[in-house]
Amino acid sequence: MLETAGDEFLWQGRPFRIVAGAMHYFRIHPEQWTDRIEKARLLGLNTIDVYVPWNAHQPRPGEMRFDGILDLPRYLGLIAEAGLKVLFRPGPYICAEWDGGGLPAWLTSDPSIKLRTSDPAYLKAVDEWFDQLIPVIEPFLAHHGGPIIAVQVENEYGAFGDDEQYLRHIVDGYRRRGITELLFTCDQAHSEEMLRNGGLDDVLRTGTFGGKVDTALATLRKIQPTGPLMCAEFWNGWFDHWGGPHHTRDGRSAADDLEKLLAAGGSVSLYMFHGGTNFGFTSGANLKHAYEPTITSYDYDAPLAENGDITRKYELMRAAIAKHVPVPDQPLPAPAPTVGHSGIVLDSAVSLLDVPGTPVESAEPLTMEALGQADGFVIYRTTLPEAGPTVLTVTAYSDRVQVFLDGNPAGLLERSRHERSLPVVASRPGAELTLVVENAGRVNYGPGMLDPKGLLGPVTAGGAELSGWTQTAVPLDDVTGLPFAPAGTRLPIGPTLRRGEFTLDTVADSYLALPGWERGAAWINGFPLGRFAARGPQRTLYVPAPVLKAGVNEIVVLELQASSSDTVDLLPEPDLGIVAD
Ligand code: GLA
């Protein structure tokens, strides 16, 4: 068992240093888990840091998923087989640039619940989740001979609140359900207040930071006079928002700071060792002065690239680690092969407005979550009573509204630009108003996590409230059976799903480029590659080799706006965009 003694960790009674790296199973194709774990071992890591996304495992109350990319027991088993240990971080909140920070949509849309506090309604949901999760991972706890040596309580809680009773409830909940392993909290180490508020005096405090190692460790030491010094998230890269620059961190600077941390006797978890991809609609968003959704790639400029390739940063960090703990004396694997295929024609189409769904009628618009849906789109329909020009105001929505009048494009409102009104012209009384409302990702950090999607308030025309709505949820969780029809070479006028086929002789990793396409999402062989947007920074989407087939492959692209092309390309190289200064 892992214990602390004085300023050290002890494993089976002997001094032990945790050299871990974060790697999220839910961001890696399951057929690539073994490869990534092996590369963690070769870096010299002895532990993998594993978050658990509650919202993915429990999309609806009472419904549990542990299959495919969510097969947590299989992932933990593979880590154990590789001889590595696990830092287990089940939240229940995980942040992680993940939709809603891992909190399920049915909680983040309910204004009556105080998230991440000791509000009984929130704790009841947490308890029901842990009642399901903990028996599943129990065999993997160290006291049963499994790899989980320590378990985190909440996540950077001091950056959010100071409800000690809530933290205590999580600790007691772990203990009551049979977790006897070492517990820890993590908080931003440059803030004494966060370190203080986010922890409990009988639970090990750890810090999260990427630089200024000496000050971070000194602050942690001040708040916690004894105990092992640990950086639970050493930020060796960073993430990107749509429309922003691509963030990188110099490998030398990351390796030097890691070296400093290890030289000071610290334990560490690299955030991220391997970032992976926000497949489908899983990426989160930030909300400060404006709403900023996170991109699809979670490459993070981590030591192991999005496609699992070893980078220069990996080599520099491996050399730093080797000075302090044994690193396997084995050659490093060569880069993964890649494949390209230009000019894939998307020659059939279906309008997003024609995707089958169940229309629900109501006087006032219903939110996405009230329709029982978490991701994708809601299509709202009503009529404008009068002909002529008017001001259409959508008083509250998340996150993007495309407006159509009698089926013709009539404008766009974006939450990220704080827009609510636009001029429209109805050509007749009773013109059909259609609003396509997109969920672009739930806020995963800070006070803005109550983040319901869809229409959230009245819609007015010329100041008069519109009523009599029909709304259809369009989750796009399965695009394989949609009613595509031949589109010839007609260019997509959005929002349209386009479909095409391409043939490959050999299967390897690839990168989907969509030059001339504006904004949407893509799937290959039914696998959701994620969202794309012309404004970048990323210009390609990672296509994991196991998604592709030798022979005929099917691609589906959703274009929300309009495209000047009816083809897309598979490229052999990624393009994550222009780097921030
Ligand atoms: C914090 C969180 C992580 C992640 C990083 C930024 O440290 O704990 O989940 O959001 O910030 O990537």
Side-chain angles (χ1 to χ4, degrees):
M1 293 287 282
L2 185 73
E3 311 161 86
T4 64
D7 294 346
E8 279 184 323
F9 285 115
L10 299 181
W11 170 249
Q12 319 288 40
R14 286 199 215 103
F16 179 70
R17 190 203 291 259
I18 299 170
V19 183
M23 182 156 79
H24 303 150
Y25 55 101
F26 44 94
R27 287 181 155 131
I28 307 168
H29 193 290
E31 287 176 40
Q32 297 173 326
W33 288 352
T34 311
D35 173 76
R36 308 309 193 246
I37 293 167
E38 171 63 3
K39 287 168 177 163
R41 193 185 68 79
L42 291 174
L43 180 64
L45 303 185
N46 53 31
T47 305
I48 305 290
D49 164 342
V50 181
Y51 269 145
V52 181
W54 175 9
N55 58 345
H57 288 283
Q58 197 185 13
R60 282 175 199 83
E63 185 183 322
M64 288 295 155
R65 290 194 48 201
F66 286 98
D67 59 322
I69 201 166
L70 296 174
D71 191 345
L72 175 60
R74 178 174 165 252
Y75 187 65
L76 295 174
L78 291 172
I79 295 172
E81 267 172 39
L84 301 180
K85 301 176 172 42
V86 168
L87 291 176
F88 194 59
R89 309 210 289 164
Y93 161 78
I94 62 167
C95 193
E97 290 67 71
W98 185 254
D99 187 58
L103 298 183
W106 43 273
L107 285 179
T108 59
S109 57
D110 186 343
S112 72
I113 293 181
K114 290 197 186 63
L115 302 169
R116 303 179 69 195
T117 68
S118 48
D119 174 354
Y122 173 69
L123 294 184
K124 182 170 175 281
V126 170
D127 285 339
E128 283 169 9
W129 159 232
F130 283 159
D131 281 345
Q132 300 291 328
L133 172 69
I134 293 175
V136 169
I137 60 92
E138 206 187 339
F140 299 95
L141 294 169
H143 78 270
H144 290 306
I148 298 175
I149 55 169
V151 181
Q152 186 178 296
V153 178
E154 243 277 348
N155 190 79
E156 286 192 342
Y157 186 62
F160 179 84
D162 58 1
D163 183 342
E164 195 181 323
Q165 224 188 311
Y166 165 49
L167 293 180
R168 185 61 64 196
H169 185 89
I170 296 180
V171 169
D172 293 347
Y174 286 167
R175 294 299 188 219
R176 200 174 58 242
R177 293 177 181 88
I179 294 176
T180 56
E181 281 59 28
L182 181 86
L183 302 185
F184 65 102
T185 55
C186 78
D187 280 285
Q188 293 171 31
H190 291 294
S191 162
E192 288 185 26
E193 197 193 352
M194 290 187 195
L195 279 170
R196 208 173 279 121
N197 291 344
L200 295 166
D201 286 343
D202 55 344
V203 174
L204 180 71
R205 284 180 164 91
T206 70
T208 59
F209 55 94
K212 299 197 190 110
V213 173
D214 299 339
T215 8
L217 293 180
T219 314
L220 182 56
R221 191 36 96 220
K222 186 172 166 198
I223 300 302
Q224 185 170 254
T226 56
L229 286 173
M230 169 144 184
C231 175
E233 286 182 25
F234 174 67
W235 301 318
N236 51 21
W238 204 246
F239 59 94
D240 300 339
H241 292 125
W242 291 117
H246 174 44
H247 293 89
T248 59
R249 177 170 183 191
D250 176 60
R252 186 75 270 161
S253 127
D256 286 353
D257 275 345
L258 176 63
E259 163 77 60
K260 243 190 233 170
L261 184 53
L262 294 173
S267 278
V268 68
S269 181
L270 310 180
Y271 194 96
M272 298 292 297
F273 157 64
H274 172 54
T277 310
N278 294 312
F279 293 121
F281 297 134
T282 58
S283 52
N286 288 86
L287 181 63
K288 280 191 201 156
H289 61 285
Y291 169 75
E292 295 179 296
T294 298
I295 65 164
T296 297
S297 173
Y298 203 62
D299 176 87
Y300 214 86
D301 200 29
L304 199 67
E306 184 173 9
N307 72 333
D309 275 359
I310 283 163
T311 63
R312 174 89 185 118
K313 186 180 280 181
Y314 180 109
E315 288 168 352
L316 293 168
M317 292 177 95
R318 189 175 191 236
I321 292 170
K323 291 188 194 160
H324 300 277
V325 294
V327 164
D329 185 15
Q330 281 171 259
L332 297 176
T338 57
V339 67
H341 192 292
S342 298
I344 300 167
V345 183
L346 303 183
D347 52 9
S348 58
V350 59
S351 165
L352 185 67
L353 303 181
D354 295 334
V355 169
T358 310
V360 176
E361 292 186 5
S362 61
E364 287 157 16
L366 302 172
T367 63
M368 177 176 275
E369 293 85 355
L371 294 166
Q373 179 181 329
D375 299 318
F377 302 82
V378 179
I379 299 171
Y380 295 87
R381 292 185 175 91
T382 188
T383 51
L384 288 186
E386 288 168 28
T390 188
V391 172
L392 185 78
T393 300
V394 183
T395 57
Y397 65 91
S398 279
D399 299 298
R400 189 169 175 271
V401 183
Q402 284 180 263
V403 182
F404 299 85
L405 271 181
D406 282 333
N408 295 315
L412 171 68
L413 297 171
E414 296 234 35
R415 178 186 185 189
S416 54
R417 295 200 296 244
H418 299 273
E419 296 167 334
R420 296 199 309 164
S421 296
L422 80 170
V424 296
V425 183
S427 60
R428 61 180 178 102
E432 190 186 53
L433 173 70
T434 305
L435 304 178
V436 176
V437 185
E438 176 187 356
N439 167 1
R442 289 185 181 79
V443 173
N444 61 266
Y445 182 77
M449 287 187 44
L450 174 69
D451 190 14
K453 299 301 185 183
L455 292 185
L456 313 173
V459 178
T460 63
E465 186 172 338
L466 301 174
S467 65
W469 292 89
T470 301
Q471 46 250 302
T472 309
V474 185
L476 294 182
D477 47 6
D478 181 7
V479 295
T480 51
L482 297 179
F484 288 101
T489 51
R490 188 170 57 80
L491 294 175
I493 296 173
T496 312
L497 289 131
R498 300 282 297 216
R499 180 189 176 280
E501 289 183 351
F502 59 97
T503 303
L504 293 177
D505 299 331
T506 51
V507 162
D509 280 347
S510 195
Y511 299 90
L512 179 65
L514 302 112
W517 298 72
E518 294 298 331
R519 180 191 175 108
W523 293 256
I524 289 185
N525 297 326
F527 185 90
L529 300 175
R531 301 180 175 100
F532 69 89
R535 61 187 172 148
Q538 76 176 111
R539 299 192 176 282
T540 56
L541 295 179
Y542 175 51
V543 184
V547 164
L548 296 169
K549 297 190 270 200
V552 178
N553 293 266
E554 181 195 58
I555 179 162
V556 172
V557 175
L558 168 68
E559 169 62 66
L560 287 167
Q561 199 157 310
S563 166
S564 59
S565 168
D566 63 357
T567 65
V568 295
D569 305 313
L570 285 175
L571 303 181
E573 299 283 333
D575 181 353
L576 291 177
I578 296 167
V579 171
D581 291 335

